[in-house]
Amino acid sequence: MTAIDSSRTVAVVGTGTMGQGIAQVALTAGHPVRLLDALPGRAEEAAEAIGARLDRLVEKGRMTPADRDAARARLHPASGPGELADAALVVEAVLEQLPVKQELFAELEKVVGDDCLLATNTSSLSVTAVAGALRNPGRFVGLHFFNPAPLLPLVEVVSAHATDEEAAVRAAATAAAWGKTPVRCADLPGFIVNRIARPFYAEAFAVHEEHGIDPATIDAVLRECGGFRMGPFELTDLIGQDVNEAVTRSVWDSFFHSPKFQPSLAQRRLVESRRLGRKSGHGWFSYAEGAERPAPADAPPEEAPAYVVAEGGLGPAAELLGMIREAGITVRDEDEDGGTRLVLPSGGQLVLADGQMACEFRDVVYFDLALDYRTAGRVALSAAPGAVEADTLAQATGLFQALGKKVTVIGDVPGMIVARTVAMLGDLALDAVARRVASAQDVDTAMRLGVNYPLGPVEWQEKLGRDWAWELLDNLHRTVPTGRYARSLGLHQWSYAADAGTEGDAS
């Protein structure tokens, strides 16, 4: 199935920011475009706004004046649905209200030809429900663009329950012809990105609610240690706390209040107090004139230990052993089956976050997972007051400082910050693959392009090893037995897949 020919008309209904962006994408791909809006005069205003953006593209050298003029000539406001009769594709970007969308498509179905694809840009509603009242739901798909549509490459192509495969393939081919990167997914709540991204926010908010550390420091750890472009507190202030919480609640409601998607009470209080982020002048942080962003908590300088004893290979943190040697610190290796810790001169232990709490042990300091320990600018440590010796914490701090890292010491938080976030992202990603929401490749592509993750969550799990998330979540579930950290069926299947055929018969 090929893409819709660029000579065919694309109609966009709803001319807000997203509708204008989608129209601009189709227009610059060469299609005639018609704009329709329920409010009189809005389509004409949108056409002017799109024309102004094309002018800016010319000023920046990204479009020739001739191409701009040709695009302007192909753009036409419509006064009613009847003017969309020749459209080969109609994309809707109206209010996120199911009755409004259903009524719109019922009207459009009376007007357009039988070969016209109908698409909704919804991010939160069931595509199946939007198409439910149509006489021909087979030609209906979700085309979920990300804002701003002209700039962001990802498009989620969502197949509703009754969508014909030919329609989904044609929609994906059309998005690709427009220069976008389409990913295919089934119609489950949140699709790919809005479903799998929930732990990025939820785990950070939970650490804050557990009084593990302040928001600015959590953001810094996820950026500088985890490799994420922005931290969840600064990002939700940019998105809008009301918008981000509404998506979380929609996914939570759609999954019948599964604890894996439970919203944050702290975020609810922000929304109730109208501290919505940048747009209101205050969210997690203040945006008042002259306000300074709180600095992350940095541990004071400490002296590096003269040596460490490595018991085991440190698993995903194995590259630290070479870095420690390069820093001039002696590493004494001891053969320990299954050992994954460093013993400090104080006798205390430095252990990679594994979902357990430091208070469960004597003189143990946990350190967080990093995307890449060599390039990480910060490492977080976790210690339980009263359960760790001052010398042990000082030596652990000095060790990482000797490797050129800023060190943040947080409270006794099981799984810490980066580790539990990455484990939960992987769990939801593998669950989506197991449920055939999308392929592993499309999941990784969606999360890299849709929310700028440094690695796709499935790719990240492969890098960490098939036992890593299993063991961390198993420990977290034992520590916090709410069901939130219970391993998904997808993670269970994936973790065992590497050993398929090597185990004995079940009996």
Side-chain angles (χ1 to χ4, degrees), residues 20 129 167 172 211 235 247 308 368 372 418 458 466 482 507:
Q20 290 181 30
H211 298 283
L235 180 55
V247 173
V308 295
D368 210 348
D372 183 332
V418 179
V458 179
R466 289 182 180 255
T482 61
S507 60

Side-chain angles (χ1 to χ4, degrees), residues 10-64:
V10 171
V12 178
V13 184
T15 60
T17 300
M18 184 57 76
Q20 290 181 30
I22 296 169
Q24 182 179 332
V25 171
L27 192 65
T28 55
H31 291 270
V33 173
R34 291 199 178 90
L35 299 171
L36 179 64
D37 199 284
L39 294 178
R42 286 291 297 273
E44 288 77 8
E45 292 173 5
E48 288 299 319
I50 293 169
R53 283 198 289 274
L54 297 180
D55 289 340
R56 287 195 290 274
L57 291 178
V58 172
E59 292 169 4
K60 295 176 181 178
R62 297 177 185 173
M63 178 179 262
T64 67

Side-chain angles (χ1 to χ4, degrees), residues 227-355:
F228 293 94
R229 184 168 296 185
M230 295 182 72
F233 295 91
E234 59 189 341
L235 180 55
T236 52
D237 269 357
L238 178 64
I239 295 169
Q241 300 302 330
D242 51 341
V243 174
N244 181 261
E245 195 215 25
V247 173
T248 298
R249 285 187 170 273
S250 174
V251 174
W252 184 54
D253 288 341
S254 298
F255 279 105
F256 308 106
H257 293 185
S258 165
K260 285 186 177 289
F261 301 101
Q262 183 176 335
S264 162
L265 181 59
Q267 188 180 40
R268 174 95 291 254
R269 292 292 178 258
L270 279 184
V271 174
E272 290 174 339
S273 64
R274 305 306 294 167
R275 291 191 165 191
L276 305 181
R278 289 179 179 271
K279 62 186 177 184
S280 69
H282 205 301
W284 297 109
F285 307 112
S286 173
Y287 299 92
E289 186 175 352
E292 294 185 6
R293 179 73 59 85
D298 292 342
E302 299 286 357
E303 187 175 344
Y307 70 90
V308 295
V309 179
E311 296 184 350
L314 294 189
E319 64 185 324
L320 282 175
L321 297 177
M323 295 169 60
I324 293 170
R325 292 187 177 97
E326 291 165 14
I329 299 170
T330 300
V331 177
R332 301 174 184 171
D333 295 312
E334 287 192 5
D335 261 344
E336 283 272 336
D337 289 339
T340 55
R341 56 188 171 270
L342 296 174
V343 181
L344 299 164
S346 67
Q349 298 178 19
L350 187 57
V351 181
L352 177 63
D354 61 5

Side-chain angles (χ1 to χ4, degrees), residues 136-441:
N136 181 14
R139 60 171 166 175
F140 193 89
V141 298
L143 277 179
H144 181 214
F145 289 78
F146 287 74
N147 193 29
L151 298 180
L152 295 186
L154 185 68
V155 178
E156 292 177 319
V157 180
V158 186
S159 291
H161 184 71
T163 300
D164 293 334
E165 176 65 10
E166 293 83 357
V169 169
R170 192 175 192 200
T174 300
W178 292 357
K180 299 301 180 182
T181 302
V183 292
R184 296 280 306 278
C185 61
D187 183 26
L188 266 73
F191 311 143
I192 300 175
V193 173
N194 280 334
R195 173 186 181 176
I196 295 173
R198 294 349 295 159
F200 179 69
Y201 312 106
E203 296 310 314
F205 297 165
V207 171
H208 171 57
E209 290 172 336
E210 294 162 13
H211 298 283
I213 199 70
D214 63 281
T217 303
I218 296 171
D219 276 355
V221 170
L222 282 161
R223 285 195 316 267
E224 300 169 34
C225 186
F228 293 94
R229 184 168 296 185
M230 295 182 72
F233 295 91
E234 59 189 341
L235 180 55
T236 52
D237 269 357
L238 178 64
I239 295 169
Q241 300 302 330
D242 51 341
V243 174
N244 181 261
E245 195 215 25
V247 173
T248 298
R249 285 187 170 273
S250 174
V251 174
W252 184 54
D253 288 341
S254 298
F255 279 105
F256 308 106
H257 293 185
S258 165
K260 285 186 177 289
F261 301 101
Q262 183 176 335
S264 162
L265 181 59
Q267 188 180 40
R268 174 95 291 254
R269 292 292 178 258
L270 279 184
V271 174
E272 290 174 339
S273 64
R274 305 306 294 167
R275 291 191 165 191
L276 305 181
R278 289 179 179 271
K279 62 186 177 184
S280 69
H282 205 301
W284 297 109
F285 307 112
S286 173
Y287 299 92
E289 186 175 352
E292 294 185 6
R293 179 73 59 85
D298 292 342
E302 299 286 357
E303 187 175 344
Y307 70 90
V308 295
V309 179
E311 296 184 350
L314 294 189
E319 64 185 324
L320 282 175
L321 297 177
M323 295 169 60
I324 293 170
R325 292 187 177 97
E326 291 165 14
I329 299 170
T330 300
V331 177
R332 301 174 184 171
D333 295 312
E334 287 192 5
D335 261 344
E336 283 272 336
D337 289 339
T340 55
R341 56 188 171 270
L342 296 174
V343 181
L344 299 164
S346 67
Q349 298 178 19
L350 187 57
V351 181
L352 177 63
D354 61 5
Q356 300 182 89
M357 298 186 72
C359 66
E360 299 178 46
F361 306 97
R362 175 71 184 143
D363 209 16
V364 166
V365 174
Y366 278 108
F367 66 95
D368 210 348
L369 179 73
L371 173 68
D372 183 332
Y373 285 100
R374 286 195 174 274
T375 59
R378 180 181 301 272
V379 172
L381 304 179
S382 175
V388 64
E389 298 294 333
D391 284 352
T392 296
L393 182 56
Q395 290 170 13
T397 301
L399 175 65
F400 281 104
Q401 289 173 338
L403 303 183
K405 315 301 179 189
K406 295 178 182 177
V407 174
T408 288
V409 179
I410 69 173
D412 191 6
V413 176
M416 301 194 66
I417 299 172
V418 179
R420 70 197 261 181
T421 299
V422 171
M424 285 294 285
L425 289 171
D427 182 70
L428 289 190
L430 291 164
D431 181 58
V433 174
R435 293 174 183 266
R436 299 185 181 179
V437 176
S439 69
Q441 180 179 352

